Amino acid sequence: MKILKVTGGFIPAEKQGGTAVVGHALCKYLAKVGHDVKVFTTNINGDEFLDVEDEWKSFDNMDVFYAKATKTLFPYYSPSMIREFEKNIEEADVVLMASVWTWYGPKIAKICKKYNVPYILYPHGVRSYDRMKMQGYAKKVLWWYFFDKPMFFNADGLVAITEFEKKEMKSIGVECPIEVIANGVEPLETVSNPRSILKKEYGIEENKDIIFFIGRIELIKGVDLAIESIKLVLDKNPNTVLVLAGPDRENLTEELSQLSNKLGIKDNVIFTGAIKGDIRLALYQSSKVLILPSITEVLAMAVLEGLKSGLPVVVTDKDAFVDVVSYDAGYACDRNKESISECINKLLTNDTLYNTMSKNALKLASDKYTWEGIAKDTTTYISKVIKGL
């Protein structure tokens, strides 16, 4: 099949977070099984721009068009994306769109209808009610009614990452066929002497138990709650250190540092900023537990990478991580510092429990989150949508 993928950010735009990573992985594996994949994206990379504009690049058996974007009142404003997309639409069998809260999304949807090419939406959790409340609710309500609502209601299909997201989509009136297809995770490379890397970079001694958070440093991710929870963990496990890794777009690091200082645990809380390469791999290899105390999630890449690394996880969004509970690969706990710290302490003090959950984490990642399986499921679903089933 000839597949066009539309997304606001794409590798190497690492600051775009998980959507850029999973979009790239899905397209790569769809290309691997023989589909002809073209990607249309912008040059946006968080609060920056990639050093490319209105150019085609080829890698991983796909062609990617990086359209020039301009910062305006309209998010992801990029007329050149629309022009280039329309040049290629007639050859397509289907369009996959990660296009919620974007200027280009409704325009791409109209082009698809004009040329009678089916399109499938990927909300990636950004349409959830909890996330809307946290980030510009009034503006997004207006945008929904004037722009995104017709795009959703006229879609030929929609991919939800979890059953809970499927229920959310149905609750807002989406009537097209909705398929639940999780994100996947690729195997992580390993590095030699990971603890030596961390000792050199951050001064973390080998006897320290690392509790690892990786993601954007945002209040919606619960970074403040992570710090408050570690205060309680340290009361029973004084050799614990919390590593907070990720870009700080909200300029919260200073405020959070003051919180850790106020709690008397500043030496046990480390902010790394955005990480990649050997440091990122060393942290996954060396950590004991991965935590994500978010207000809302869908299926965070950090959790999937933690599971793939054999890390038991402690999360607070129970709807997003039902598999973690069913596989006994960690804890989906109440969202308060007492509950989070209790779960972490259980893992740090009970080796039998820890080893069991570590093995279960690896099994869960292998059973449900491989990109090979996801590409197969996606192909099956696309075929159904094209046939109108």
Side-chain angles (χ1 to χ4, degrees):
M1 285 184 287
K2 292 188 175 182
I3 300 171
L4 304 187
K5 169 69 172 178
V6 182
T7 182
F10 200 74
I11 294 298
E14 295 177 348
K15 290 186 177 181
Q16 287 298 102
T19 54
V21 175
V22 301
H24 165 252
L26 175 61
C27 291
K28 182 172 77 171
Y29 280 86
L30 287 173
K32 268 189 177 183
V33 297
H35 298 299
D36 182 356
V37 180
K38 287 185 177 180
V39 181
F40 297 82
T41 188
T42 72
N43 62 349
I44 292 175
N45 183 24
D47 54 356
E48 303 173 351
F49 293 95
L50 299 174
D51 188 22
V52 57
E53 56 182 56
D54 296 342
E55 295 180 40
W56 283 97
K57 300 287 185 180
S58 295
F59 56 91
D60 291 334
N61 297 312
M62 68 183 110
D63 294 323
V64 183
F65 183 74
Y66 292 90
K68 178 183 179 181
T70 305
K71 289 186 177 180
T72 70
L73 292 175
F74 299 102
Y76 294 91
Y77 182 78
S78 180
S80 59
M81 175 198 272
I82 303 301
R83 291 193 296 268
E84 196 68 22
F85 178 84
E86 192 157 16
K87 291 178 185 177
N88 290 268
I89 183 64
E90 289 186 274
E91 68 183 40
D93 294 306
V94 69
V95 175
L96 310 182
M97 295 174 56
S99 308
V100 183
W101 314 130
T102 66
W103 171 84
Y104 64 79
K107 295 182 180 297
I108 293 290
K110 288 180 180 179
I111 293 171
C112 291
K113 291 303 178 184
K114 175 182 175 182
Y115 289 93
N116 199 31
V117 175
Y119 69 87
I120 297 172
L121 283 178
Y122 283 72
H124 286 302
V126 299
R127 181 53 185 78
S128 73
Y129 180 65
D130 285 334
R131 187 172 290 273
M132 285 176 65
K133 285 195 299 183
M134 287 292 294
Q135 299 173 335
Y137 180 72
K139 180 175 68 175
K140 287 189 173 180
V141 167
L142 291 173
W143 191 275
W144 165 253
Y145 281 105
F146 286 104
F147 299 103
D148 276 2
K149 187 175 181 179
M151 179 178 72
F152 271 78
F153 284 24
N154 290 314
D156 299 278
L158 186 146
V159 171
I161 301 174
T162 64
E163 288 290 344
F164 182 72
E165 185 176 40
K166 179 177 180 178
K167 290 178 182 178
E168 281 197 315
M169 293 300 100
K170 286 186 172 295
S171 73
I172 63 175
V174 175
E175 295 182 350
C176 68
I178 301 176
E179 191 78 3
V180 177
I181 303 176
N183 287 332
V185 60
E186 296 192 80
L188 274 69
E189 298 177 13
T190 58
V191 293
S192 300
N193 302 314
R195 295 301 302 232
S196 296
I197 293 172
L198 300 181
K199 172 71 180 299
K200 179 181 179 181
E201 196 71 25
Y202 306 116
I204 302 174
E205 300 291 344
E206 291 210 17
N207 67 332
K208 297 293 186 181
D209 289 327
I210 299 172
I211 309 303
F212 187 30
F213 167 95
I214 180 169
R216 295 183 302 277
I217 306 300
E218 296 176 345
L219 293 180
I220 196 172
K221 294 287 187 179
V223 186
D224 53 343
L225 184 55
I227 294 172
E228 293 171 356
S229 301
I230 289 301
K231 165 64 175 174
L232 299 182
V233 171
L234 285 163
D235 291 341
K236 293 185 177 180
N237 293 281
N239 278 334
T240 303
V241 61
L242 172 65
V243 175
L244 300 167
D248 180 8
R249 297 183 190 174
E250 298 182 357
N251 298 315
L252 293 172
T253 300
E254 179 61 30
E255 177 184 337
L256 293 169
S257 295
Q258 291 176 8
L259 172 62
S260 63
N261 190 40
K262 179 181 177 181
L263 294 172
I265 59 171
K266 189 171 184 179
D267 292 340
N268 299 85
V269 179
I270 297 171
F271 294 88
T272 70
I275 58 171
K276 58 183 178 180
D278 286 354
I279 292 175
R280 173 175 166 274
L281 297 173
L283 279 164
Y284 274 115
Q285 281 179 244
S286 303
S287 297
K288 289 284 288 185
V289 181
L290 185 136
I291 63 170
L292 189 62
S294 303
I295 294 173
T296 180
E297 282 292 342
V298 179
L299 192 61
M301 281 302 301
V303 172
L304 300 190
E305 290 179 339
L307 295 169
K308 194 70 175 180
S309 303
L311 297 181
V313 300
V314 175
V315 297
T316 54
D317 193 324
K318 299 178 182 180
D319 292 317
F321 299 107
V322 292
D323 289 334
V324 167
V325 177
S326 64
Y327 270 73
D328 197 23
Y331 293 103
C333 62
D334 293 335
R335 195 173 182 276
N336 58 67
K337 61 185 178 182
E338 291 81 11
S339 181
I340 294 168
S341 62
E342 181 183 355
C343 292
I344 294 173
N345 280 327
K346 285 179 182 178
L347 289 164
L348 294 181
T349 56
N350 187 327
D351 289 342
T352 301
L353 173 69
Y354 184 89
N355 292 333
T356 297
M357 285 194 168
S358 178
K359 291 177 182 177
N360 291 342
L362 291 168
K363 179 172 173 53
L364 172 55
S366 177
D367 285 354
K368 293 211 168 186
Y369 303 131
T370 67
W371 279 114
E372 291 86 354
I374 289 164
K376 180 179 178 181
D377 292 343
T378 301
T379 298
T380 300
Y381 179 55
I382 289 173
S383 298
K384 289 181 179 179
V385 170
I386 290 175
K387 293 175 182 177
L389 300 177

